[in-house]
């Protein structure tokens, strides 16, 4: 028999997948996210970047996006099942041979872009 917490997290992840359309994406893919930013008023921000890692952990699954802002590389970690993420769209699929693309931090800025 499985542990009770594992069963509960799997059920919670399945119900959230049924409620929202979450596409299948891997490291190397370019994503466009609509994220609700909690400021004074809740506004929706568009974030576009390349996925450099994904950590699968049931309901606690997270992914890391890297993007260039004013010539500086910025990385953001998002929980996959966060209620602040309104939409996830795969813009482009790139082939990556590694599960973690942390080497993009040391490369030129043009390799982290996705034009």
């Amino acid at each position: 028999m499985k542990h009770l917490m594992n069963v509960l997290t799997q059920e919670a992840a399945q119900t959230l997948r049924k409620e929202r359309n979450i596409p299948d994406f891997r490291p190397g893919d370019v994503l466009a996210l609509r994220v609700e930013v909690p400021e004074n008023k809740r506004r929706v921000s568009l974030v576009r970047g390349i996925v450099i890692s994904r950590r699968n952990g049931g309901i606690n699954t997270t992914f890391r996006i890297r993007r260039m802002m004013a010539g500086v590389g910025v990385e953001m970690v998002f929980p996959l099942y966060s209620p602040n993420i309104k939409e996830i769209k795969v813009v482009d699929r790139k082939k990556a041979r590694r599960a973690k693309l942390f080497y993009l931090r040391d490369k030129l800025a043009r390799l982290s872009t996705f034009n």
Side-chain angles (χ1 to χ4, degrees), residues 22-62:
I22 299 174
D24 184 36
F25 61 90
R26 307 179 74 188
D29 293 347
V30 177
L31 295 183
L33 302 173
R34 291 176 48 105
V35 180
E36 193 172 274
V37 181
E39 291 177 347
N40 293 341
K41 295 183 274 185
R42 294 179 91 54
R43 64 178 179 87
V44 177
S45 175
L46 183 67
V47 177
R48 184 173 169 168
I50 186 166
V51 179
I52 62 169
S53 71
R54 181 171 170 161
R55 185 185 65 83
N56 293 322
I59 195 76
N60 300 320
T61 300
T62 60

Side-chain angles (χ1 to χ4, degrees), residues 8-96:
L8 291 175
T9 56
Q10 286 177 356
E11 288 177 1
Q14 287 175 355
T15 56
L16 286 174
R17 276 197 177 273
K18 288 178 186 175
E19 290 175 7
R20 294 202 281 144
N21 184 16
I22 299 174
D24 184 36
F25 61 90
R26 307 179 74 188
D29 293 347
V30 177
L31 295 183
L33 302 173
R34 291 176 48 105
V35 180
E36 193 172 274
V37 181
E39 291 177 347
N40 293 341
K41 295 183 274 185
R42 294 179 91 54
R43 64 178 179 87
V44 177
S45 175
L46 183 67
V47 177
R48 184 173 169 168
I50 186 166
V51 179
I52 62 169
S53 71
R54 181 171 170 161
R55 185 185 65 83
N56 293 322
I59 195 76
N60 300 320
T61 300
T62 60
F63 60 97
R64 186 179 302 250
I65 285 187
R66 181 174 176 85
R67 65 187 290 198
M68 298 301 292
M69 293 179 69
V72 179
V74 177
E75 293 182 6
M76 294 170 268
V77 179
F78 294 101
L80 183 62
Y81 300 108
S82 171
N84 290 336
I85 297 177
K86 299 303 176 193
E87 181 186 6
I88 301 175
K89 188 188 305 182
V90 178
V91 177
D92 190 17
R93 294 197 181 270
K94 306 261 185 185
K95 184 177 179 185

